[in-house]
Amino acid sequence: MAEEVKLLKTWSSPFGLRAFWILKLKGVQFDFIDEDLSNKSPLLLQSNPVYKKVPVLIHNGKPISESLVILEYVDETWKQNPLLPEDPYERARARFWAKFGDDKVLASIWNAFIKQGKEQEEAIGLAIETLKFLEEELKGKRFFGGEKIGLPDLALGWLANLIGVFEEVIGVKLIEKERFPLLSAWMQEFAEAPVIKESWPPHEKLVTKFRAIREPYVAAAAQPK
């Protein structure tokens, strides 16, 4: 009996891209639906009643939500092309960097993206300090997963795309090649990997979207206090 695999995502979500990437890297046959989050489908609401957000992976009728959870589920379910190492310590480290990406890297860069003036300067400084940990982790490595793309690369892969979008919108360079040579090289190589390269959302469309997202924060900062 053929397996039924369906992915609910949006065209622009970096979290949905993670799930898309791992399914492609594993060679899993699947269908995907790009949700309109302003008019969420009954399938999305039924599949993720707790958070009501994407991504959701539906495997033989069983829904799995949260992108990092989906990555591990797919890696455990389809054994080919493993993205987590066999060694328990190395697996733990891979999970650590994946979580660090969401908890620290994404949070700090988003803060720099939405802030204004002196608050933005401080936020950029904190983001740069956070990125230094990634630069250090890449020493002697081609990818965070070693010589091939691993789970932390998929978790951090949004950097290879959205950093450029954020930099264009705010007019500030966050990842300079001179300061982050290893991270810059990783971003370029990851972005050009065949499965990754063919799935990037249109750059200009992303710039338009995130400029619109940022506008209310800019307007709020301009209000007299």
Side-chain angles (χ1 to χ4, degrees), residues 3 26 57 59 72-80:
E3 291 190 292
K26 292 280 189 176
L57 178 71
H59 181 204
E72 293 213 32
Y73 176 84
V74 172
D75 201 44
E76 292 173 1
T77 302
W78 290 276
K79 304 295 186 182
Q80 65 272 25

Side-chain angles (χ1 to χ4, degrees), residues 126-140:
L126 287 173
I128 287 172
E129 289 303 309
T130 303
L131 289 167
K132 287 179 180 177
F133 288 107
L134 299 184
E135 180 74 11
E136 183 69 22
E137 178 61 18
L138 280 168
K139 285 184 177 178

Side-chain angles (χ1 to χ4, degrees), residues 12-84:
S12 61
S13 169
F15 306 107
L17 263 181
R18 294 170 175 173
F20 187 91
W21 287 333
I22 194 169
L23 290 167
K24 285 286 188 179
L25 287 168
K26 292 280 189 176
V28 177
Q29 296 295 313
F30 68 100
D31 297 318
F32 68 87
I33 298 173
D34 279 332
E35 288 279 339
D36 175 4
L37 296 185
S38 66
N39 183 27
K40 297 176 182 178
S41 71
L43 180 60
L44 174 59
L45 297 176
Q46 176 186 345
S47 302
N48 191 0
V50 177
Y51 292 113
K52 301 179 175 64
K53 65 181 184 181
V54 295
V56 178
L57 178 71
I58 304 173
H59 181 204
N60 293 334
K62 298 177 181 178
I64 303 99
S65 57
E66 295 299 295
S67 62
L68 294 183
V69 176
I70 291 171
L71 290 184
E72 293 213 32
Y73 176 84
V74 172
D75 201 44
E76 292 173 1
T77 302
W78 290 276
K79 304 295 186 182
Q80 65 272 25
N81 305 323
L83 293 171
L84 278 169

Side-chain angles (χ1 to χ4, degrees), residues 99-133:
K99 193 169 188 303
F100 178 81
D102 282 2
D103 292 352
K104 295 294 185 181
V105 180
L106 180 56
S108 66
I109 288 176
W110 183 253
N111 207 30
F113 178 71
I114 64 174
K115 296 293 185 183
Q116 296 287 301
K118 182 149 183 73
E119 287 186 345
Q120 186 185 61
E121 291 178 17
E122 293 173 354
I124 289 172
L126 287 173
I128 287 172
E129 289 303 309
T130 303
L131 289 167
K132 287 179 180 177
F133 288 107

Side-chain angles (χ1 to χ4, degrees), residues 152-166:
D153 295 284
L154 299 187
L156 289 159
W158 62 271
L159 282 166
N161 182 42
L162 283 185
I163 279 291
V165 173
F166 291 172

Side-chain angles (χ1 to χ4, degrees), residues 84-96:
L84 278 169
E86 290 185 15
D87 180 74
Y89 176 71
E90 293 302 326
R91 289 172 75 89
R93 281 181 55 79
R95 292 184 177 109
F96 171 86

